Amino acid sequence: MAAPLDASKLQITKTTTPATPLPNNQLKFGQSFTDHILEIDWTVEEGWGTPTITPYHDFKMDPATVVLHYSFELFEGLKAYRDSNGQIRTFRPDKNMERMNRSAKRASLPQFDSEEFIKLIHQFLLLDERFVPSGKGYSLYLRPTLIGTSIGLGVSSPTKAKLYMIASPVGPYFGAGFKPVSLEATDYAVRAWPKGVGSYKLGANYVSCIEPQAEAAKRGHSQNLWLFGDEGEITEVGAMNVFFAFANEDGTKELATAPLDGMILPGVTRDSAIQLCKEKLGKEWIVSERKITIHEVKERAAKGQLIEAFGTGTAAIVAPINNIEFRGEQITVPCSAGGSGEIAKSVCEWVQNIQYGDEEFKDWSRVAA
Amino acid sequence: MAAPLDASKLQITKTTTPATPLPNNQLKFGQSFTDHILEIDWTVEEGWGTPTITPYHDFKMDPATVVLHYSFELFEGLKAYRDSNGQIRTFRPDKNMERMNRSAKRASLPQFDSEEFIKLIHQFLLLDERFVPSGKGYSLYLRPTLIGTSIGLGVSSPTKAKLYMIASPVGPYFGAGFKPVSLEATDYAVRAWPKGVGSYKLGANYVSCIEPQAEAAKRGHSQNLWLFGDEGEITEVGAMNVFFAFANEDGTKELATAPLDGMILPGVTRDSAIQLCKEKLGKEWIVSERKITIHEVKERAAKGQLIEAFGTGTAAIVAPINNIEFRGEQITVPCSAGGSGEIAKSVCEWVQNIQYGDEEFKDWSRVAA
């Protein structure tokens, strides 16, 4: 019988050449890595093999390995934080593992027990804890990855796979303080569609994002805003979810984000922002998941009803937006709190307080042990 | 200045342990490979490096290589044939290279001079010509592949890439003679979308095909038929293009296939079949690229107006269809020539005659030299 993932079987081989962690001011996103790698191989006959943590090393890969041809690859992004007591914490890792298993199923790759993998992640963190930086905004970015490793050019379910995790110490995504981003609305390419795979964290969803991003950059924008369909439905910004705050004519206010209709990634930060805003914003606020079109944003900005807008994601937590270009016209987005709007600023603080263990909220922050 | 791809710089290191090619009856698609691999590395600063042909070997790959995370990967599939004089031939390799360059641009990977790469392919074939099997239906399947090889987790254009080719001796896709396939029409998942990337040969388009294929197999079908949109537009069958032959009430006949609207792969066999049928089918035939819906197929089958249907692709050339299940109903597709329809049988013969050099047609068959 195919074996389930079993964290108790972990075998650790420590590096004999430990690296010195970089100082905080030299950290670049995803460029330097910790001393070790976590790996678990799977075969269709045997199931999950022995989990290992060994010195970070290259893979040996046959050029006919299926991951290189048919995109049998998916990943997660989450972070580990050092709290004020020096303990290492992860933020809602169960949400990432739930999504990773959803992605695995859709990609015909093997699923696994989420809690067993979280135990392994925590063991990894205890071993490489020297690489978890201190200081708000600093963290260790974790990259669990699942790839198909069987060899052969037939297009079919992989019979071998590798689940692995590497980790990269990172600083604040936008440096010190907020720097709002300018967007170009993309309507010449679509990221996702109904009944497609846009809601899974597959590598396949990323390759097609570079060209629209580069096009936006040519015209001075830092991200592109994905639209869908004839009505110009807003789905995502670059690789982040997106929120808009509107003032209604009756005095109420609305914080709106695109719904989980299969066309957007179900972001952990998106979900956290929704839950926190429902609990912490004032009574005049309605938090809704609904279709938002670029035309609504444009019209409400013109009427002075657009309060603010921001993207959410693990890397940046929030990315305030100050401008959207749509078909050559500029939509100015207010940033009433300086480099961001008030909600973006609050969400960032609320989330960080939980991530760094300064505030307990539900079971969202877990201490690695 | 970044260097262009230059075939004249090729460096060859022959294997010292040549393998014995398998006998024809042991060939399995994409399972065994020839003695060598063709590789050309690229960097954004230097451009294309020295092309090499060396003994087939594993790659060394950092676990943070971009191809493993963001699906910077694309490929081609073409074949080399041994003609009756023992010469090695390729079939329309310029079409594959044109498509590969289109895919590369969309995937933010480097483009290259098609004819230079074809020269390298032909050099590879002359070196490994022992592995090109003899006999109609037997060939050497070539897999040019382009992957992003820069290291780091930032989502941006790769600054390093590898163009490589491996080759696998193969036999007839369906064994001796035609074996028609039964399809399940898929309307719960969508392969491609207008303004999406369905017309590029990206690895990203394949990972999502396995689950619908497995679902179809559960119900006894050998492939799934991809539908699109509320009207049930037919786009592809599995990973092949698809043709339907209809009898019209006025006595004319139509061979129809889905148009190149960005939602289907522009197949080389598809294009060849269209051109050959326009030239060789009788005067009563109209060959058209147009939208075909599953409802039209169902209705015309019921009226006795469906003459035949088949998929086209490099692996099988043609795959005759004898049945389509749509929402639990079976549409029976005639196979008037035994295991296939008359056109499928003719197209297969016409294409093979050119591929094996028995007939010259335009510049489609090239002798490796």
Side-chain angles (χ1 to χ4, degrees), chain B residues 22-58:
Chain B
L22 291 174
N24 278 1
N25 63 4
Q26 288 180 29
L27 298 177
K28 283 185 189 160
F29 182 82
Q31 289 298 319
S32 71
F33 297 91
T34 69
D35 278 342
H36 296 94
I37 178 171
L38 166 64
E39 291 173 90
I40 314 106
D41 286 319
W42 173 92
T43 69
V44 68
E45 299 88 6
E46 306 280 331
W48 291 102
T50 303
T52 62
I53 295 176
T54 59
Y56 190 101
H57 60 88
D58 285 343

Side-chain angles (χ1 to χ4, degrees), chain A residues 114-181:
Chain A
S114 292
E115 286 300 325
E116 290 299 304
F117 194 52
I118 293 171
K119 284 180 201 167
L120 292 169
I121 293 173
H122 285 177
Q123 288 301 303
F124 177 98
L125 290 173
L126 294 175
L127 185 67
D128 270 347
E129 69 90 23
R130 297 183 304 122
F131 290 89
V132 186
S134 293
K136 271 278 166 78
Y138 295 88
S139 59
L140 182 64
Y141 180 83
L142 308 178
R143 172 55 61 93
T145 308
L146 179 57
I147 59 175
T149 53
S150 35
I151 295 167
L153 301 182
V155 181
S156 57
S157 294
T159 55
K160 294 182 181 178
K162 183 188 282 293
L163 176 61
Y164 70 97
M165 188 180 80
I166 53 176
S168 173
V170 298
Y173 203 71
F174 295 109
F178 282 126
K179 204 172 117 192
V181 297

Side-chain angles (χ1 to χ4, degrees), chain B residues 27 42 72 81 116 129 171 198 220 255 299 308 329 348:
Chain B
L27 298 177
W42 173 92
F72 289 109
Y81 308 87
E116 291 298 302
E129 67 90 22
L255 181 68
E299 283 161 26
E308 66 174 284
E329 277 186 72
C348 190

Side-chain angles (χ1 to χ4, degrees), chain A residues 188-319:
Chain A
Y188 59 84
V190 294
R191 178 189 169 278
W193 48 85
K195 303 181 187 176
V197 296
S199 71
Y200 303 93
K201 206 161 174 77
L202 304 181
N205 286 324
Y206 290 81
V207 60
S208 52
C209 293
I210 309 299
E211 202 182 36
Q213 171 63 33
E215 285 295 315
K218 274 187 201 167
R219 287 176 283 277
H221 301 286
S222 58
Q223 297 275 331
N224 76 306
L225 179 70
W226 289 106
L227 303 184
F228 173 77
D230 296 337
E231 295 176 65
E233 188 173 342
I234 289 172
T235 57
E236 292 200 13
V237 46
M240 289 186 285
N241 296 124
V242 62
F243 288 76
F244 293 87
F246 299 114
N248 295 328
E249 279 161 19
D250 65 3
T252 61
K253 293 172 180 176
E254 183 192 22
L255 180 67
T257 192
L260 298 180
D261 57 3
M263 288 200 286
I264 66 164
L265 197 79
V268 177
T269 311
R270 172 189 178 279
D271 182 79
S272 303
I274 291 170
Q275 290 199 45
L276 287 164
C277 286
K278 280 185 177 171
E279 189 148 321
K280 295 182 184 252
L281 286 180
K283 275 187 188 160
E284 72 277 25
W285 284 94
I286 299 154
V287 180
S288 55
E289 300 173 58
R290 68 163 174 91
K291 189 162 98 175
I292 306 154
T293 70
I294 187 70
H295 304 289
E296 176 184 2
V297 170
K298 186 179 153 188
E299 283 161 26
R300 300 191 73 170
K303 285 188 197 165
Q305 294 181 351
L306 178 61
I307 301 174
E308 67 175 283
F310 55 92
T312 61
T314 293
I317 305 178
V318 301

Side-chain angles (χ1 to χ4, degrees), chain A residues 30 56 58-63 67 69-71 73 106 108 143 152-153 164 187 190 193 195 203 208 211, chain B residues 30 56-63 67 69-71 73 106 143 152-153 164 187 190 193 195 203 208 211:
Chain A
Y56 190 101
D58 286 342
F59 296 148
K60 268 182 64 177
M61 194 170 284
D62 189 291
V67 64
H69 297 268
Y70 306 125
S71 196
E73 59 186 67
R106 186 64 186 87
S108 305
R143 172 55 61 93
L153 301 182
Y164 70 97
D187 60 0
V190 294
W193 48 85
K195 303 181 187 176
S208 52
E211 202 182 36
Chain B
Y56 190 101
H57 60 88
D58 285 343
F59 296 148
K60 269 184 61 177
M61 193 169 286
D62 189 290
V67 64
H69 297 268
Y70 306 126
S71 195
E73 61 186 67
R106 186 65 187 85
R143 173 53 63 91
L153 301 181
Y164 70 96
D187 60 1
V190 177
W193 195 266
K195 303 181 188 177
S208 52
E211 203 182 36

